Amino acid sequence: MMKLLAVIALALSLWAYPLAAKADCSGSGLAFTCDNTSTAAQISSAISSASDTAVVTLEAGTYTLTGLIDLTPRNGITVICETVQACTLSRANDIFYLNPINTTITALTRISGFILTGAVGTAKIWLFGQNNIEKLRIDHNKFDMAAGSIAILIGGAGADGVAYGVIDHNLFISTTGNFAALSNIGGNGVAWPTGLLGLMRGRRRYWPEEQPSTPSTAAILCTARFRGAPLY
C-alpha cells in the first residue's frame, strides 16, 4: 500500500511540473521573456522592472489582452516577438501605450515583430509626446485594422514633443473599411518649423518601405497631421 501511494505521489508531482514551469514573465536587468499566457499587466510589470534599454521578448502565440502594455516607465525599451509576426496581440482598444513622456527619451524605443489587431480604440500604438522621443523604431509588424481606427498615434493635443526615428517593414491591412496608418496630433497649434516641410522624404522620413494593403472598398490614410504637428 505504501509503495502504491508513493507511485501516485510521484506521478502527481510529474504531472504538475509542466504547469509550474510556466512563469509568465521572468528575467532581470536588460533581458526579460514573457510566455504566451502573459497578461498585459504582467508584460507591463516586466517593462517596469527592467533596466532602461532592456529587451523584453514575447513567446510566439496569441495574446488576448484586456489592458495596455505600458512603456512609460523606461528611458528606452525594446519589446519584440521571438519570431517575426508569430505573436498576435489582440485587444478592442489601444495595445502599446507611452504616456506621459515627462522627460526626453534618449535611448531606443522599439516595437517589433507583432500582429496587432482588435476593434477600434484610440490607436494600436499610442506615443503621447509632450517631450521628445529621440530614437524610435516600429518595424516588421502587421496591423490588421478595424474600420475608422488608427494604427500609430504620435503626440497629443497641446503637446510640443516630437519623435525621431523610423517606421519600416510594416504591413497595414483592413477587411472592414477605412483607417489611418499614422496620425500625428502634436505640435501645440504652431506652424511647422523651417526645414520640416518635406513630407514623405528626407533623411528622417520613413514611409517608402511600408506596404499598405486594403480591399478595393477601403482607403488608407497614410498620415494625418493636426495642430501644426511636424513630420520628421
Side-chain angles (χ1 to χ4, degrees), residues 129-140:
Q130 60 268 54
N131 285 286
N132 292 358
I133 305 173
E134 294 190 349
K135 297 176 184 177
L136 174 65
R137 189 179 185 193
I138 299 171
D139 64 285
H140 293 90

Side-chain angles (χ1 to χ4, degrees), residues 143-192:
F143 293 84
D144 190 352
M145 303 302 296
S149 58
I150 300 170
I152 303 165
L153 182 70
I154 296 176
D160 294 324
V162 295
Y164 301 84
V166 293
I167 301 174
D168 65 281
H169 296 85
N170 298 286
L171 176 64
F172 300 87
I173 67 170
S174 176
T175 59
T176 58
N178 303 343
F179 68 96
L182 170 66
S183 181
N184 182 4
I185 62 172
N188 201 20
V190 299
W192 282 18

Side-chain angles (χ1 to χ4, degrees), residues 3-222:
K3 289 182 178 180
L4 177 61
L5 290 175
V7 169
I8 292 172
L10 176 61
L12 288 173
S13 66
L14 292 174
W15 173 80
Y17 177 75
L19 297 179
K22 290 293 250 185
D24 299 319
C25 293
S26 60
S28 62
L30 293 173
F32 278 75
T33 57
C34 296
D35 66 41
N36 58 27
T37 69
S38 301
T39 65
Q42 289 166 333
I43 299 169
S44 297
S45 179
I47 293 169
S48 180
S49 300
S51 302
D52 291 342
T53 73
V55 176
V56 178
T57 303
L58 272 59
E59 178 185 68
T62 298
Y63 299 70
T64 302
L65 305 175
T66 58
L68 293 160
I69 297 175
D70 188 2
L71 309 176
T72 303
R74 298 274 61 86
N75 178 17
I77 190 78
T78 292
V79 186
I80 190 169
C81 182
E82 66 176 358
T83 303
V84 172
Q85 295 183 14
C87 301
T88 297
L89 307 184
S90 178
R91 183 176 184 237
N93 212 314
D94 313 337
I95 296 179
F96 288 101
Y97 190 61
L98 202 168
N99 178 26
I101 304 174
N102 288 321
T103 59
T104 295
I105 297 176
T106 58
L108 175 66
T109 296
R110 184 184 182 196
I111 299 168
S112 179
F114 297 101
I115 298 174
L116 303 174
T117 188
V120 176
T122 302
K124 293 308 167 192
I125 299 175
W126 187 1
L127 310 175
F128 191 102
Q130 60 268 54
N131 285 286
N132 292 358
I133 305 173
E134 294 190 349
K135 297 176 184 177
L136 174 65
R137 189 179 185 193
I138 299 171
D139 64 285
H140 293 90
N141 302 291
K142 177 181 177 181
F143 293 84
D144 190 352
M145 303 302 296
S149 58
I150 300 170
I152 303 165
L153 182 70
I154 296 176
D160 294 324
V162 295
Y164 301 84
V166 293
I167 301 174
D168 65 281
H169 296 85
N170 298 286
L171 176 64
F172 300 87
I173 67 170
S174 176
T175 59
T176 58
N178 303 343
F179 68 96
L182 170 66
S183 181
N184 182 4
I185 62 172
N188 201 20
V190 299
W192 282 18
T194 301
L196 302 186
L197 302 180
L199 183 61
M200 301 292 182
R201 61 185 180 180
R203 64 186 181 89
R204 288 194 289 255
R205 204 56 208 134
Y206 36 64
W207 284 105
E209 296 184 42
E210 302 314 292
Q211 305 172 62
S213 176
T214 59
S216 59
T217 56
I220 182 171
L221 175 64
C222 283

